[in-house]
Amino acid sequence: PEAVEVSLAFVLFIGCTTAMGISLPDSEAELNSISRTNSMWTDCCKSTDALTLISVSVSPNPPERGTTCHVSLIGELAEEVTGGSIYVYLKYANVMTVLKKKYDFCDFLKKAGSECPLEPDMISLAIETYVPSSFPPGKYIGRIVATNQDDQELVCVGLDLNIGM
């Protein structure tokens, strides 16, 4: 059960994950033109959040059961982060809660190939994770919120995705 929860969290933690092969915007105008929403995720950050999402990608899109999912993110971090938490809340078919869990932020970063502290700068993270074939196919909705060492919100990602066959 714990391995399944961790795998699901990695698949879904789109809010703090380094993209390989994704180029950074060349100008402020290009940065501002990047959409903050797509078919899988929505930027639900507050104006005071320290991490601004720039690019998120998931492959395959949508994630498929029994395959490896690649999640990557580029963002701009406005403050140093020395610790914190990741809160994941996920419902299946908008009825059944399948995950409601708190993870250690720095432990998560280690699994993503990074570490605390994170310095203010452009950040890029990548995770590969196996999506167990035991996950039922269908619609999942949820929210992922990362907080810093002072329990201040860093980033919020709303989820609306389908896990395929």
Side-chain angles (χ1 to χ4, degrees):
E2 180 68 21
V4 170
E5 288 178 0
V6 171
S7 292
L8 185 57
F10 283 137
V11 169
L12 300 177
F13 188 66
I14 300 170
C16 193
T17 33
T18 292
M20 298 176 191
I22 297 176
S23 60
L24 294 176
D26 293 324
S27 68
E28 189 69 26
E30 188 178 350
L31 176 67
N32 290 334
S33 71
I34 294 173
S35 172
R36 299 286 185 230
T37 184
N38 72 19
S39 61
M40 289 181 50
W41 66 278
T42 303
D43 181 343
C44 55
C45 293
K46 300 173 187 169
S47 62
T48 56
D49 286 0
L51 179 61
T52 302
L53 296 175
I54 294 172
S55 173
V56 178
S57 67
V58 177
S59 176
N61 182 356
E64 297 175 4
R65 300 176 319 137
T67 65
T68 299
C69 183
H70 308 273
V71 180
S72 59
L73 164 125
I74 295 175
E76 185 170 6
L77 185 63
E79 63 186 39
E80 180 183 54
V81 179
T82 60
S85 300
I86 299 170
Y87 300 90
V88 180
Y89 178 73
L90 187 67
K91 287 177 113 175
Y92 172 69
N94 203 20
V95 176
M96 181 175 62
T97 299
V98 294
L99 184 60
K100 186 175 182 181
K101 187 135 177 129
K102 176 182 173 181
Y103 297 91
D104 180 86
F105 186 81
C106 294
D107 288 347
F108 184 84
L109 283 180
K110 286 179 192 171
K111 293 174 183 171
S114 190
E115 62 184 33
C116 287
L118 286 177
E119 300 297 325
D121 201 352
M122 296 296 284
I123 63 168
S124 177
L125 302 169
I127 289 179
E128 287 186 0
T129 189
Y130 181 73
V131 180
S133 55
S134 61
F135 283 1
K139 184 177 179 101
Y140 290 79
I141 62 167
R143 188 166 286 221
I144 300 166
V145 177
T147 61
N148 67 10
Q149 61 278 356
D150 299 319
D151 205 32
Q152 299 294 312
E153 186 174 299
L154 293 171
V155 68
C156 175
V157 176
L159 303 170
D160 185 356
L161 60 116
N162 287 296
I163 292 186
M165 298 300 284

